[in-house]
Amino acid sequence: ARPPQPRYAPTDLVPLVTTTASLLSQDPAVREVDIVVEGTAPPLQADKEMLRIVFHNLLINGAHAMHGKGQIRVAVEAGDSMCQIAFTDAGPGIPTELLDKIFTPFFTTKSRGSGLGLPTAKRLIEAHKGQLVIDCPPAGGTTIVVHLPTARA
């Protein structure tokens, strides 16, 4: 499989995350999930459709981790060379022994999952010369941070 080739265009991240979140909220299984988007960033060169897929996968994973109830916080922040979008859920977190497996295609802990959401998200972000980082504090919850370059290399 060839790596995906992004079709770069000016992309405003906050409205993209907000739109993706509002589409997700129409799903009855996650209707009780409150998605709060905070922060700002200037538009960057990115493939809007690829990022929509990434954001949808990260939001749906967070919603499923919380069994369809709770809050997901999305914090958007721009730096000089990188922009970061942090998705934080209030679920139980990912067990340490599973962290090295979650980006393996077809690995899933869900009864109806395909195991392709996180590997696809990682691949699409890497196609943008970005990075996906996961943090699971001992107290619970998961934060997945998407790092994207502000200028196309």
Side-chain angles (χ1 to χ4, degrees):
R2 288 181 314 210
Q5 296 300 311
R7 294 183 182 174
Y8 292 101
T11 303
D12 199 346
L13 295 174
V14 174
L16 183 59
V17 174
T18 305
T19 303
T20 306
S22 78
L23 286 172
L24 184 68
S25 69
Q26 295 174 19
D27 180 344
V30 296
R31 213 171 253 148
E32 292 182 54
V33 173
D34 180 32
I35 301 171
V36 177
V37 182
E38 309 169 316
T40 61
L44 53 89
Q45 292 293 317
D47 185 313
K48 189 181 290 189
E49 290 312 310
M50 284 186 177
L51 292 184
R52 187 183 320 276
I53 292 166
V54 170
F55 299 161
H56 180 265
N57 282 339
L58 298 181
L59 289 169
I60 198 76
N61 280 355
H64 287 167
M66 300 184 307
H67 304 290
K69 295 179 183 176
Q71 186 179 76
I72 297 174
R73 299 186 76 73
V74 183
V76 180
E77 186 179 320
D80 290 338
S81 62
M82 295 295 273
C83 179
Q84 74 174 29
I85 309 101
F87 295 79
T88 303
D89 69 50
I94 302 168
T96 311
E97 64 273 10
L98 299 182
L99 280 175
D100 346 349
K101 299 176 185 174
I102 60 173
F103 292 117
T104 303
F106 306 110
F107 173 78
T108 184
T109 59
K110 300 176 188 174
S111 60
R112 294 173 45 136
S114 68
L116 292 174
L118 285 175
T120 298
K122 184 175 193 259
R123 193 163 169 238
L124 296 179
I125 293 303
E126 288 173 349
H128 281 82
K129 308 285 188 263
Q131 194 178 22
L132 206 76
V133 178
I134 296 189
D135 180 38
C136 294
T142 298
T143 298
I144 299 181
V145 184
V146 174
H147 296 275
L148 293 169
T150 54
R152 205 165 38 148

